Amino acid sequence: RPLSWQEKEEVKNKYAEGKEYFLFTGGIHPRKNLINLLKAFSLFKKWQHSNMKLLVAGRLAWHYEEVIKKLKSYKYRNDVVLLGYFPDEQLASLTAAAYAMVYPSFFEGFGLPIIEAMQSGVPVIASNTSSMPETGGNAALYADPTHPDAIAKNMLNLYKDETLRSRLIESGKIQAARFSWEIAAQQTWQNICRTAQKDS
């Protein structure tokens, strides 16, 4: 759910030194593309010179050593916060207080954080691969996950264009409403019925 201004400020004060932040959620492993996200964030900071933070909420999964190693010498390491695993309720607040969700995975079967961000009134930047364009529809910005500059340009566009950001927030709410457990259950049941009729 969206948060009030006061609730957002409380989250930002607790996790981001009171600053606006881009958010990534998910386990830290190669498929999630954290290395290119760090490169993109570095380009964004170089171009914009803002005090924006990058928060990463997710457990250390596997082959995460490269990300940790890169952060040790990363120019903007003081603006990157590894938060570790978050319970759902806390993650919901962290998501809803974000300036934008950045989800640059190489591959996703669905991309649930995209919908969760949209439900929370948070704009989304996602990869243009696998299921993510279908999940986000026309309510997200997309980039090739292998090109950090493309991800960074979307981050910059969102930061500089408040009209674009507002439009994505509103269209995101509409897109997110297309997905629910009730709708999924109904469609699954309809498919089962159609299959049963074909077999009978």
Side-chain angles (χ1 to χ4, degrees):
R1 66 174 180 85
L3 297 182
S4 67
W5 179 86
Q6 183 61 41
E7 288 172 319
K8 289 181 182 180
E9 290 302 302
E10 290 172 2
V11 174
K12 285 187 280 188
N13 287 333
K14 186 172 183 178
Y15 299 108
E17 300 177 356
K19 308 294 193 304
E20 296 282 6
Y21 60 88
F22 292 111
L23 176 67
F24 168 84
T25 63
I28 299 176
H29 56 81
R31 179 172 61 84
K32 296 296 187 177
N33 198 23
L34 266 293
I35 292 295
N36 280 344
L37 176 54
L38 289 175
K39 291 177 181 177
F41 185 62
S42 183
L43 286 171
F44 168 82
K45 296 288 279 189
K46 179 181 176 182
W47 295 338
Q48 188 57 44
H49 304 291
S50 79
N51 59 10
M52 185 78 74
K53 301 279 187 181
L54 172 63
L55 272 54
V56 177
R59 65 186 177 88
L60 297 176
W62 62 89
H63 298 299
Y64 57 80
E65 294 83 3
E66 186 180 2
V67 172
I68 303 301
K69 181 180 178 182
K70 183 172 179 62
L71 277 174
K72 289 179 180 179
S73 60
Y74 186 65
K75 181 176 180 180
Y76 301 103
R77 60 187 173 276
N78 292 331
D79 290 320
V80 177
V81 185
L82 296 182
L83 294 167
Y85 171 78
F86 259 53
D88 286 347
E89 186 173 331
Q90 287 178 266
L91 185 60
S93 295
L94 191 71
T95 298
Y99 189 83
M101 166 75 71
V102 187
Y103 203 66
S105 298
F106 288 117
F107 176 87
E108 289 291 336
F110 180 75
L112 189 59
I114 294 172
I115 296 301
E116 291 172 338
M118 290 178 173
Q119 287 175 332
S120 304
V122 173
V124 174
I125 298 168
S127 295
N128 62 1
T129 61
S130 62
S131 64
M132 288 172 277
E134 182 179 355
T135 302
N138 64 358
L141 299 179
Y142 299 100
D144 184 332
T146 64
H147 291 133
D149 60 326
I151 301 169
K153 285 176 183 174
N154 278 339
M155 296 166 85
L156 186 65
N157 287 340
L158 264 186
Y159 186 81
K160 294 178 74 173
D161 190 342
E162 194 60 37
T163 300
L164 170 64
R165 187 168 179 271
S166 297
R167 179 177 64 78
L168 289 175
I169 289 171
E170 292 309 311
S171 57
K173 293 174 184 176
I174 296 170
Q175 177 69 9
R178 297 179 57 237
F179 299 93
S180 71
W181 290 116
E182 291 78 10
I183 293 172
Q186 185 179 25
Q187 291 176 342
T188 301
W189 177 248
Q190 289 171 350
N191 287 334
I192 290 171
C193 291
R194 277 196 293 269
T195 302
Q197 289 173 354
K198 290 178 183 176
D199 292 340
S200 59

